[in-house]
Amino acid sequence: MVAPYSAFRSTASNVTRSGPFFNLTVTVKRPWSCVLLKRFSAVANFYIFNRITILWKKFKSTATGKTFIIAGKKKPLFHQLKGFQPTATMAAVVTKGSLQRYVALFLVFAPVRYASSSVTHYSIPEEMKEGSVVANLAADLGLDVTTLTKRRMRVEVIANKKYLDVNKETGELYVLEKIDREHICTTKSSASCYLRLEVTLDNPVRIFNMEVEILDMNDNAPQFRRDVIHLDISEATPKGERFSLSNAVDRDVGTNALKTYHLSESEYFNIEVQTGREGSKFADLILKKVLDREKQAVHNLILTAVDGGTPARSSTASVIVRVLDTNDNAPTFDKASLTVKILENSPIGSLVVHLNATDLDEGSNSDITYSYSLYTSEKTQETFSLNPTTGEITVKGMLNYEDFRIYDMEVIATDKGANSLSGQCTIKILVEDMNDNHPEISIKSFQSPVSESIELDTVIAVVSVNDKDSGDNGVVDLHIPENMPFKLRESSDNYYELVVSEPLDREKVPEYEITFTVTDRGSPPLSDNETMTLELLDVNDNVPQFPQSFYTIRVLENNAPGALLSSLSAFDPDLHENQYLVYFIIEKEIANTSMSMLFSINPENGNLYALKTFDYEIEREFLFHIEARDSGSPPLSSNVSVHIIIVDQNDNAPVIVSPWRAHGSVVEEKIPRSTDKGSLVAKVIALDTDSVHNSRITYQFLQVTDASLFSLDQYNGEIRTMRMFSYKDSRHHRLVVVAKDNGEPALSATVTIKLLTVETDVKAHSDMTEMPLEYDIFSDINLYLVIGLGSVSFLLLITILVTIVLKCQTPKASKAAPPSRNSVISERNSTIADSTLVSNDAYWYSLFLAETRKGKLVVRQPVPKGSRYIVSSIPRGTGLSETSDSAASTLQLLDVNDNVPQFPQSFYTIRVLENNAPGALLSSLSAFDPDLHENQYLVYFIIEKEIANTSMSMLFSINPENGNLYALKTFDYEIEREFLFHIEARDSGSPPLSSNVSVHIIIVDQNDNAPVIVSPWRAHGSVVEEKIPRSTDKGSLVAKVIALDTDSVHNSRITYQFLQVTDASLFSLDQYNGEIRTMRMFSYKDSRHHRLVVVAKDNGEPALSATVTIKLLTVETDVKAHSDMTEMPLEYDIFSDINLYLVIGLGSVSFLLLITILVTIVLKCQTPKASKAAPPSRNSVISERNSTIADSTLVSNDAYWYSLFLAETRKGKLVVRQPVPKGSRYIVSSIPRGTGLSETSDSAASTLQVGILWILRPKSFFYC
């Protein structure tokens, strides 16, 4: 819409002046045309910005309209503006759409003589390249090209970017920046798009208005708002129905804008293009054929938008049409009628037929429900069940061919659509006859469990069978599974017995599942079965079996005691007690040491442990047997040989045995200086007791005086001269030789040889021959005796040193000393220095003493606990008077921790049965403390003591509160027989007091070890083979069985007897010594082979035993009888001279050590006497009368006397209370103790002379 020019008519007021400033006011009468004022402001600023300094500008609303005010300088110019009226050259084109975005206005604002009223128009296409020439302004405007620069020709683009500029040299208008029409003119309200320019020149000022029309190019393709358009259309929609599609947008205008749409080829759809009010194009989708979802559920179409440019541009969008289902298909069955056959007596739930109806619809329209029609009888519905969801027909009631043979039914399938549809199916079910009576089994008798040693043909079960059918259907056969050690035996009509046909073995088959199957002869045959479980009871008929027959165990020497060596577990296939195995080490003594002292086996799991640390140099191997015995009755056992091999470690350094060092580690040798080259100077011999590999010794010089003079053979240790001695060589030579073994790490020993060269004719060592040693001084027993002598000597020296240190230590005062008789037990707050304590009871004086100077009450002798005494005080005077004032106070005695805990016994002996349960209570060792409160609370401890590197706290535990003593482990009499330790009871006083008691634990033996056969030796099993001549006389010794039992004396008494003997008239066995002798001579009728089984039984309860089997073979050769055997003497005397001396020395030193320990104990246990050099304290005794004054009381008339002395009447002692002046004498009288003082009392006077007693205290002494 174009607004008329009259709508913008306005008036401008005169220029007003205020000093050098001016104001220009333009008023627009129409209120809605304020936009023109804004444009006017922009034009005015552009026009006069070089001539006028604008101070401010603003709009103002008045009653007459909108006013635009400009304030500035340079009035002469604005006089020309006075009376300015807009002319017809002010062209304004306004549309409704542009008012909302911007107003394109071009004003030529200048005096009439400076402004051009014409508008120059140009047209250019968009997207021209930069620098392209639009027109020659100088030629078109009639301007002189040469004056353009001088007149400052310039081009301004109004309300837009500067897309165009002028070349002042040529006057050409050219493109400064590429122009996009769609960017400049964003709306399609007008087909034309202009850029308005102002060309301005100075001197004189001229302004030219220009319009450059931007022509559209087809540079934009149509664009859909969405690439994919989804439509849901019901298959019931009639054809001809329209559906709106999303339109495309083309930013171009005119012929380049969107022209039309195209749709991909489709049988069901086409489109119709429509034009909008502003020329926009829309497409409607039209259904030209009725849809069917069952044929095609989704339609994929392509919509193409094409513009009218040349060449044309296009874009596409996908149109996806999803067909919505309607219930237009009825369910249909696979077959309209069915005939089904089923056997009678079919079990309930058996499937008869599975009906299947299909519906081509989807969703709820295809969900089908099955049901009987009204034509189906109630009998049929009671006999058969129809699943409404799956269509399965199953048996619901009992089918009997004789009752009902044919069943007719009609089933309806109905969908779940809004208007449900249905289909029908007719079914005929035929019942077929069959052999429907099963044979029956009845178990009349069945015996279970039975022993695996049951005899053959023993009846285990009795079974009867029958069948209700007749004919062949009633004839039955009974059988059991094959490959079973049983058989059926028909006893009578339809009765069968199950008997044992083969021997039974529980270890192979522990139980039998015996299934009795009965089958009739019908067609098809029917059968029934009954399964019974026959359990077999175990018999101890299997001996324990070891996985290996021989074990070789390698043990590194210096092993830790108690180390696990191996696990020798056996297996017994029997059950329960017949399977429970107990493991034993078969006793065998090596060097008077039993195997049970060296090794231990866990009787429950067969773990073998080492009980000591082995030394390869002493013990290199052990061969013994482990027996595994079950707990059956009678028990069975087997044994396995164990070979322990001690593996050597390099733990012994070489020992230099030659040259002999009698007095130290240095050997002195003399050799002549005339010794030839290569002569033997000395030979170093070292021995290493390790194994062959570790004991290979090499020799080398560690230090040599002259390396050019001596050589050392590294293998034999020979030191020889490398040259002859010269006059320059020293007379003395020092050779240090090291002998190193081959171990890892290597150990070594050194010897120092001092050589002295002499001029005398000494026979060269090269001529010497080595004499054989008569004996080896370092034999095994010598070495042990030397080591024992050295160890005991070292212990003796340590004991003496410890005794000296203990005796030299100054004893410290005991913190736990009980309060003395003269201890102060009460101190009054009031001072009683001027009063004397009085009591009418003389016994009171024997208990207490009043120190009047200090106001203290002193205890003279022990006071009974809990007693109370009334004490009165009166002023001190010359005597007692009835008028004297007195003050009474109650004296209550507080407990002091002065009593040690006391055990009822000084020594406890506790007997504990071996194999006790860990944690068992052994005894209660409770002590008593007569003190009170915390002084009475006792805590019990075990005083630590180690036995065989085992602390007592690891063997026993004591309850610290009540003294209950517990065992922490199971004790074995054969390993530990007794323990001796101490229990300490400590109270909770401050300081605490304690006492201890000795506890002797004696392990009482139980018969838990079976005898072990040690002779005859069974090298390869439990059977011993012996050969004897057939000419052996009557009473000859055939063999001797020796068994050992590690239990105590009573339990280890062994008796022997025959368990089995081939001929009891031929052999006899001594029950006490185990000797087997012949009872007669052999005859030709006697067998050559004899088998003797001897059992050795101990005396325990119950008795344990071991057996050995001896196989005797009588031969015709002359075998020397055992009775003729004699003992051979020993080849050497172990008590040689040096051994005897070592034994005597070891015994002497051991005796001295024992005497020293006993003396030390006696000295430590004696009660220390009072030191004579102790300084006299205030209460020290300085005089002791020969006569006993226990029944007298010391008396003095002077109260001052009491301040100096204290009389202990119980002991007849006089005690100094405070320092006494030197040279003083005091008369002391004694009278018999009574109830009071009397003049007739006898007294004995003694004079106390005070002398000087030197006190060992620095810079001080006391006088007495």
Side-chain angles (χ1 to χ4, degrees):
M1 180 180 66
V2 178
Y5 171 73
S6 59
F8 307 104
R9 188 180 300 274
S10 62
T11 60
S13 66
N14 293 332
V15 177
T16 60
R17 180 177 179 182
S18 175
F21 301 96
F22 61 87
N23 293 327
L24 174 64
T25 302
V26 178
T27 302
V28 180
K29 295 181 180 180
R30 300 292 178 137
W32 56 272
S33 58
C34 63
V35 177
L36 297 179
L37 289 177
K38 293 181 181 179
R39 300 309 302 158
F40 178 81
S41 170
V43 174
N45 287 338
F46 175 76
Y47 176 71
I48 61 178
F49 80 99
N50 284 327
R51 305 295 300 273
I52 303 172
T53 301
I54 298 175
L55 299 180
W56 53 268
K57 56 185 178 179
K58 69 177 181 178
F59 290 101
K60 183 173 67 175
S61 298
T62 61
T64 59
K66 300 289 185 179
T67 302
F68 177 69
I69 303 174
I70 299 176
K73 292 183 179 181
K74 295 187 178 181
K75 179 182 176 183
L77 176 64
F78 272 78
H79 279 297
Q80 301 172 9
L81 298 175
K82 185 178 179 181
F84 167 75
Q85 296 289 335
T87 63
T89 60
M90 292 184 178
V93 179
V94 180
T95 65
K96 180 179 180 181
S98 62
L99 284 176
Q100 298 175 356
R101 293 184 287 272
Y102 83 96
V103 177
L105 174 65
F106 186 80
L107 293 176
V108 178
F109 182 62
V112 175
R113 59 179 178 174
Y114 293 102
S116 175
S117 60
S118 62
V119 176
T120 305
H121 184 86
Y122 296 101
S123 296
I124 61 173
E126 65 174 332
E127 303 293 338
M128 287 184 66
K129 295 182 179 180
E130 297 176 359
S132 300
V133 177
V134 178
N136 193 322
L137 296 181
D140 294 342
L141 299 178
L143 302 174
D144 187 0
V145 176
T146 59
T147 62
L148 297 180
T149 302
K150 183 178 180 180
R151 297 184 63 182
R152 299 175 60 189
M153 184 178 183
R154 52 193 178 276
V155 174
E156 295 293 336
V157 180
I158 298 174
N160 225 317
K161 289 176 64 176
K162 191 171 183 180
Y163 292 102
L164 303 173
D165 202 358
V166 64
N167 188 335
K168 298 177 183 178
E169 301 295 332
T170 60
E172 293 177 343
L173 181 68
Y174 65 92
V175 177
L176 185 63
E177 183 179 345
K178 186 179 290 186
I179 302 171
D180 186 0
R181 180 187 180 283
E182 287 75 28
H183 181 72
I184 297 173
C185 301
T186 58
T187 63
K188 294 185 179 181
S189 58
S190 175
S192 300
C193 181
Y194 295 94
L195 281 177
R196 289 173 174 77
L197 311 177
E198 286 184 352
V199 179
T200 307
L201 294 92
D202 296 338
N203 299 320
V205 176
R206 293 193 62 185
I207 298 175
F208 299 94
N209 296 323
M210 295 184 181
E211 283 185 349
V212 179
E213 183 180 4
I214 308 302
L215 302 179
D216 183 48
M217 301 285 292
N218 190 23
D219 57 345
N220 293 283
Q223 295 293 329
F224 285 95
R225 292 186 177 90
R226 292 182 295 175
D227 294 335
V228 180
I229 302 171
H230 292 276
L231 291 176
D232 291 337
I233 303 176
S234 173
E235 64 177 335
T237 303
K239 66 177 182 179
E241 190 74 20
R242 290 174 174 267
F243 303 94
S244 297
L245 299 177
S246 177
N247 63 311
V249 177
D250 195 333
R251 296 177 63 188
D252 295 327
V253 296
T255 58
N256 295 327
L258 177 64
K259 181 178 180 181
T260 186
Y261 294 92
H262 300 290
L263 185 67
S264 60
E265 184 177 355
S266 175
E267 179 184 356
Y268 295 92
F269 300 97
N270 60 9
I271 60 171
E272 182 178 313
V273 179
Q274 297 185 6
T275 303
R277 288 177 296 175
E278 296 182 357
S280 59
K281 302 292 184 178
F282 300 93
D284 288 340
L285 186 67
I286 301 176
L287 181 65
K288 64 180 183 181
K289 185 179 179 181
V290 176
L291 300 175
D292 189 351
R293 188 203 61 80
E294 287 71 31
K295 292 182 179 179
Q296 187 174 354
V298 178
H299 297 267
N300 294 311
L301 308 174
I302 302 297
L303 179 64
T304 305
V306 183
D307 61 17
T310 303
R313 292 178 177 268
S314 63
S315 65
T316 60
S318 297
V319 179
I320 299 176
V321 179
R322 188 166 64 92
V323 181
L324 302 180
D325 181 54
T326 58
N327 191 22
D328 56 347
N329 292 280
T332 58
F333 286 92
D334 297 338
K335 293 182 179 179
S337 62
L338 290 173
T339 300
V340 180
K341 294 181 179 181
I342 186 171
L343 292 174
E344 66 170 331
N345 299 323
S346 294
I348 295 175
S350 299
L351 180 64
V352 178
V353 66
H354 187 180
L355 301 177
N356 183 33
T358 56
D359 194 323
L360 297 178
D361 295 324
E362 67 176 359
S364 60
N365 297 329
S366 63
D367 294 339
I368 297 175
T369 302
Y370 299 90
S371 61
Y372 287 120
S373 69
L374 298 176
Y375 300 105
T376 304
S377 64
E378 294 183 0
K379 173 66 176 177
T380 302
Q381 295 184 27
E382 292 175 356
T383 307
F384 298 96
S385 175
L386 174 63
N387 190 314
T389 304
T390 62
E392 292 180 349
I393 297 177
T394 57
V395 177
K396 184 179 179 182
M398 183 61 67
L399 298 178
N400 195 340
Y401 176 82
E402 289 74 22
D403 294 342
F404 217 83
R405 301 183 181 183
I406 300 174
Y407 294 91
D408 292 319
M409 63 182 67
E410 186 180 46
V411 177
I412 299 175
T414 307
D415 61 25
K416 295 181 180 180
N419 298 317
S420 60
L421 302 177
S422 61
Q424 295 82 26
C425 178
T426 302
I427 301 131
K428 178 178 288 187
I429 299 177
L430 304 178
V431 180
E432 294 184 342
D433 189 22
M434 62 177 296
N435 184 20
D436 57 347
N437 291 294
H438 291 266
E440 296 178 356
I441 301 176
S442 178
I443 306 297
K444 301 299 182 180
S445 174
F446 188 80
Q447 181 182 355
S448 178
V450 297
S451 174
E452 63 176 325
S453 59
I454 190 171
E455 296 181 359
L456 300 180
D457 288 335
T458 302
V459 177
I460 296 176
V462 177
V463 182
S464 67
V465 296
N466 68 334
D467 192 333
K468 295 180 180 179
D469 293 329
S470 60
D472 291 338
N473 294 334
V475 178
V476 296
D477 298 314
L478 179 66
H479 60 274
I480 60 174
E482 297 180 356
N483 301 324
M484 277 193 173
F486 309 103
K487 64 181 181 180
L488 289 171
R489 184 170 59 194
E490 188 172 1
S491 60
S492 60
D493 208 12
N494 291 335
Y495 279 84
Y496 295 87
E497 292 178 349
L498 180 69
V499 297
V500 179
S501 61
E502 297 176 12
L504 305 181
D505 189 353
R506 191 209 60 80
E507 286 70 35
K508 292 182 179 179
V509 182
E511 64 180 16
Y512 291 93
E513 296 287 338
I514 305 175
T515 302
F516 298 93
T517 304
V518 58
T519 307
D520 62 18
R521 299 181 183 179
S523 181
L526 295 180
S527 63
D528 194 8
N529 60 69
E530 186 76 25
T531 300
M532 305 297 292
T533 301
L534 177 64
E535 297 182 3
L536 300 184
L537 296 178
D538 184 47
V539 175
N540 192 23
D541 55 349
N542 291 278
V543 298
Q545 299 173 3
F546 285 92
Q548 300 174 219
S549 60
F550 191 85
Y551 286 87
T552 299
I553 303 172
R554 297 182 179 274
V555 181
L556 276 175
E557 67 170 333
N558 303 319
N559 60 293
L564 176 64
L565 304 184
S566 180
S567 181
L568 311 176
S569 58
F571 171 72
D572 193 326
D574 291 325
L575 284 182
H576 309 308
E577 66 276 358
N578 298 329
Q579 186 186 35
Y580 300 147
L581 301 183
V582 181
Y583 299 88
F584 306 92
I585 295 177
I586 299 178
E587 281 301 328
K588 177 185 179 183
E589 286 193 358
I590 297 179
N592 295 325
T593 302
S594 174
M595 287 295 105
S596 60
M597 302 285 289
L598 303 176
F599 304 96
S600 171
I601 190 167
N602 190 318
E604 296 180 356
N605 55 26
N607 287 346
L608 184 64
Y609 301 91
L611 294 182
K612 59 169 285 188
T613 299
F614 296 111
D615 191 348
Y616 174 83
E617 289 71 37
I618 300 175
E619 306 136 327
R620 300 195 175 185
E621 64 178 353
F622 302 94
L623 183 63
F624 55 94
H625 295 274
I626 299 295
E627 178 179 329
R629 183 187 306 160
D630 61 26
S631 302
S633 180
L636 300 179
S637 63
S638 65
N639 58 54
V640 66
S641 298
V642 179
H643 187 201
I644 303 293
I645 299 176
I646 308 302
V647 181
D648 182 51
Q649 287 185 318
N650 191 29
D651 57 343
N652 291 282
V655 178
I656 306 294
V657 297
S658 178
W660 174 244
R661 296 167 291 173
H663 304 289
S665 61
V666 178
V667 180
E668 296 182 353
E669 298 283 350
K670 292 181 180 181
I671 59 173
R673 293 184 67 84
S674 60
T675 299
D676 295 332
K677 174 183 178 182
S679 298
L680 179 64
V681 175
K683 184 172 183 179
V684 179
I685 300 175
L687 298 179
D688 193 325
T689 56
D690 288 324
S691 63
V692 177
H693 177 75
N694 293 326
S695 64
R696 293 175 184 170
I697 297 176
T698 57
Y699 305 89
Q700 60 186 19
F701 278 130
L702 189 63
Q703 182 180 346
V704 61
T705 307
D706 189 348
S708 66
L709 188 55
F710 301 99
S711 66
L712 173 63
D713 191 297
Q714 64 174 339
Y715 298 110
N716 59 23
E718 292 181 350
I719 303 175
R720 295 183 180 272
T721 57
M722 297 175 64
R723 59 178 175 81
M724 294 187 67
F725 290 95
S726 66
Y727 69 94
K728 295 181 180 180
D729 293 329
S730 173
R731 292 185 61 196
H732 298 276
H733 297 274
R734 187 172 184 270
L735 310 179
V736 180
V737 179
V738 59
K740 187 182 298 183
D741 62 19
N742 196 36
E744 184 62 37
L747 303 177
S748 62
T750 60
V751 62
T752 302
I753 303 173
K754 288 186 177 180
L755 293 179
L756 175 63
T757 59
V758 294
E759 298 297 337
T760 59
D761 186 13
V762 181
K763 188 176 182 179
H765 285 268
S766 59
D767 300 332
M768 294 192 309
T769 59
E770 297 180 0
M771 298 297 293
L773 293 174
E774 295 180 359
Y775 62 92
D776 185 6
I777 193 169
F778 282 101
S779 63
D780 289 343
I781 189 166
N782 295 348
L783 181 60
Y784 298 153
L785 289 172
V786 170
I787 292 174
L789 181 59
S791 303
V792 176
S793 301
F794 177 77
L795 291 176
L796 175 61
L797 179 60
I798 292 298
T799 305
I800 294 173
L801 291 177
V802 171
T803 304
I804 294 172
V805 170
L806 293 176
K807 294 301 292 182
C808 291
Q809 284 181 343
T810 302
K812 297 181 180 180
S814 176
K815 296 181 179 179
S820 67
R821 182 173 294 180
N822 295 330
S823 300
V824 177
I825 64 169
S826 175
E827 184 170 343
R828 296 180 55 191
N829 293 329
S830 61
T831 303
I832 56 173
D834 296 329
S835 62
T836 302
L837 296 174
V838 178
S839 174
N840 294 328
D841 186 6
Y843 175 66
W844 191 94
Y845 285 102
S846 67
L847 296 179
F848 306 105
L849 168 67
E851 285 194 351
T852 57
R853 291 281 184 180
K854 293 187 174 181
K856 296 181 179 179
L857 186 64
V858 180
V859 177
R860 287 171 136 179
Q861 59 180 340
V863 181
K865 265 196 190 84
S867 303
R868 291 192 178 187
Y869 299 90
I870 306 300
V871 182
S872 301
S873 63
I874 60 174
R876 186 179 64 182
T878 57
L880 301 176
S881 65
E882 296 179 358
T883 59
S884 299
D885 296 330
S886 64
S889 61
T890 301
L891 178 64
Q892 183 174 2
L893 300 181
L894 301 177
D895 182 46
V896 175
N897 191 22
D898 56 346
N899 291 280
V900 296
Q902 300 173 4
F903 285 92
Q905 301 172 219
S906 60
F907 191 86
Y908 285 87
T909 299
I910 303 172
R911 298 182 179 273
V912 180
L913 276 176
E914 69 170 333
N915 304 320
N916 60 292
L921 175 65
L922 305 183
S923 180
S924 182
L925 311 177
S926 57
F928 170 72
D929 193 326
D931 292 324
L932 295 177
H933 308 307
E934 67 276 356
N935 299 329
Q936 189 184 30
Y937 301 148
L938 301 182
V939 181
Y940 300 88
F941 306 92
I942 295 178
I943 299 178
E944 281 299 330
K945 177 183 178 183
E946 286 194 356
I947 296 178
N949 296 327
T950 302
S951 174
M952 287 296 103
S953 60
M954 299 182 66
L955 303 177
F956 303 96
S957 171
I958 191 167
N959 189 316
E961 296 180 356
N962 55 24
N964 287 346
L965 184 64
Y966 300 92
L968 294 182
K969 60 169 284 188
T970 300
F971 296 110
D972 190 349
Y973 173 84
E974 289 71 37
I975 299 176
E976 306 136 327
R977 299 196 176 184
E978 62 179 354
F979 301 95
L980 182 62
F981 55 94
H982 296 276
I983 299 294
E984 177 180 330
R986 184 185 305 162
D987 61 25
S988 303
S990 179
L993 301 179
S994 62
S995 65
N996 57 57
V997 66
S998 298
V999 179
H1000 187 201
I1001 303 292
I1002 299 176
I1003 308 301
V1004 180
D1005 182 50
Q1006 286 185 318
N1007 190 28
D1008 58 343
N1009 292 282
V1012 177
I1013 306 295
V1014 296
S1015 177
W1017 173 243
R1018 297 168 289 175
H1020 304 289
S1022 60
V1023 179
V1024 180
E1025 295 183 354
E1026 298 284 350
K1027 293 181 180 180
I1028 60 173
R1030 292 187 66 85
S1031 59
T1032 300
D1033 295 332
K1034 174 183 177 181
S1036 297
L1037 180 64
V1038 176
K1040 184 173 182 178
V1041 179
I1042 301 176
L1044 297 179
D1045 194 323
T1046 56
D1047 289 323
S1048 63
V1049 177
H1050 176 76
N1051 293 326
S1052 63
R1053 293 175 185 169
I1054 298 176
T1055 57
Y1056 305 89
Q1057 60 185 16
F1058 279 129
L1059 188 64
Q1060 182 181 345
V1061 60
T1062 307
D1063 189 349
S1065 66
L1066 189 56
F1067 301 100
S1068 67
L1069 172 64
D1070 191 299
Q1071 65 173 339
Y1072 298 110
N1073 59 22
E1075 292 181 350
I1076 303 175
R1077 296 183 180 272
T1078 57
M1079 297 176 64
R1080 58 177 175 81
M1081 293 187 67
F1082 290 94
S1083 66
Y1084 69 94
K1085 295 182 180 180
D1086 293 328
S1087 173
R1088 294 186 60 198
H1089 298 276
H1090 296 273
R1091 187 172 185 269
L1092 310 179
V1093 180
V1094 179
V1095 58
K1097 187 180 298 182
D1098 61 19
N1099 197 36
E1101 185 62 39
L1104 301 178
S1105 62
T1107 61
V1108 61
T1109 301
I1110 302 174
K1111 289 186 176 180
L1112 292 179
L1113 174 63
T1114 59
V1115 294
E1116 298 297 337
T1117 57
D1118 185 14
V1119 179
K1120 189 174 183 181
H1122 285 269
S1123 60
D1124 299 332
M1125 291 193 301
T1126 59
E1127 296 182 356
M1128 297 298 292
L1130 294 173
E1131 294 182 359
Y1132 62 92
D1133 183 9
I1134 193 170
F1135 285 104
S1136 60
D1137 291 341
I1138 188 169
N1139 294 348
L1140 182 60
Y1141 299 150
L1142 289 173
V1143 169
I1144 293 173
L1146 180 60
S1148 302
V1149 176
S1150 301
F1151 179 76
L1152 290 176
L1153 174 61
L1154 179 60
I1155 293 300
T1156 305
I1157 294 174
L1158 292 176
V1159 171
T1160 304
I1161 294 173
V1162 170
L1163 292 176
K1164 293 299 291 182
C1165 293
Q1166 282 182 343
T1167 305
K1169 296 181 180 180
S1171 176
K1172 295 181 180 180
S1177 64
R1178 182 170 295 179
N1179 293 332
S1180 300
V1181 176
I1182 63 171
S1183 176
E1184 185 168 343
R1185 305 229 351 238
N1186 295 328
S1187 60
T1188 302
I1189 56 173
D1191 297 325
S1192 62
T1193 304
L1194 294 176
V1195 178
S1196 176
N1197 293 329
D1198 187 5
Y1200 176 66
W1201 191 94
Y1202 283 107
S1203 67
L1204 294 177
F1205 303 105
L1206 168 66
E1208 286 192 355
T1209 57
R1210 288 282 183 181
K1211 293 188 176 181
K1213 295 180 181 178
L1214 187 63
V1215 182
V1216 176
R1217 287 170 138 181
Q1218 59 182 337
V1220 181
K1222 185 163 59 176
S1224 303
R1225 288 190 179 186
Y1226 295 87
I1227 305 302
V1228 182
S1229 300
S1230 63
I1231 61 174
R1233 187 179 65 180
T1235 56
L1237 300 178
S1238 66
E1239 296 179 356
T1240 61
S1241 302
D1242 296 331
S1243 64
S1246 61
T1247 301
L1248 178 64
Q1249 178 73 37
V1250 180
I1252 302 175
L1253 177 64
W1254 185 262
I1255 305 300
L1256 297 176
R1257 182 179 295 178
K1259 297 181 182 180
S1260 65
F1261 59 88
F1262 289 92
Y1263 298 95
C1264 295

